[in-house]
Amino acid sequence: MDQYTIQTSKQKKIFVMAGLFILATSITLLGFALSIFSLINNISFTVLSSQIPGFVFGLAITFLGARYFLAVKKLKVEVFKEETHFSWSNFKKSNT
């Protein structure tokens, strides 16, 4: 009773992965747009009483979006493997 087989259709997996890719791409593009917008309009944000250019925040968001995109790409490979199966043991804490 440690392992259960849950049937998920390939179509559902494709739909979810497409949503994750759209989200990752949106984050990346919005970060890039913030960078360009902040650069053109000379926008800065106050953080801990310091002025930080909006361009820097845009670059950080762009980087995080690109990193998330790569993580989703890696997840896609794992999800679509044939030997992938559901197991409750994947959710147990390790004793380290």
Side-chain angles (χ1 to χ4, degrees):
M1 219 150 106
D2 189 289
Q3 185 175 342
Y4 296 95
T5 304
I6 296 178
Q7 297 296 330
T8 56
S9 69
K10 191 168 185 157
Q11 192 174 27
K12 286 181 185 177
K13 289 181 183 179
I14 291 171
F15 180 73
V16 171
M17 294 307 298
L20 290 174
F21 274 115
I22 289 169
L23 180 63
T25 304
S26 298
I27 292 170
T28 305
L29 292 176
L30 288 172
F32 185 71
L34 177 63
S35 292
I36 299 301
F37 184 77
S38 297
L39 193 63
I40 291 171
N41 295 314
N42 198 21
I43 294 176
S44 61
F45 298 100
T46 303
V47 177
L48 298 174
S49 69
S50 301
Q51 291 293 326
I52 307 294
F55 180 74
V56 174
F57 279 110
L59 286 179
I61 293 169
T62 302
F63 170 74
L64 293 173
R67 200 173 100 176
Y68 181 56
F69 185 86
L70 294 174
V72 170
K73 196 172 175 181
K74 186 177 176 182
L75 175 67
K76 179 184 172 191
V77 171
E78 292 296 319
V79 167
F80 286 106
K81 280 184 181 176
E82 290 297 326
E83 65 269 5
T84 302
H85 61 276
F86 178 82
S87 175
W88 283 112
S89 65
N90 293 336
F91 298 98
K92 292 180 182 176
K93 290 184 180 181
S94 61
N95 294 331
T96 57

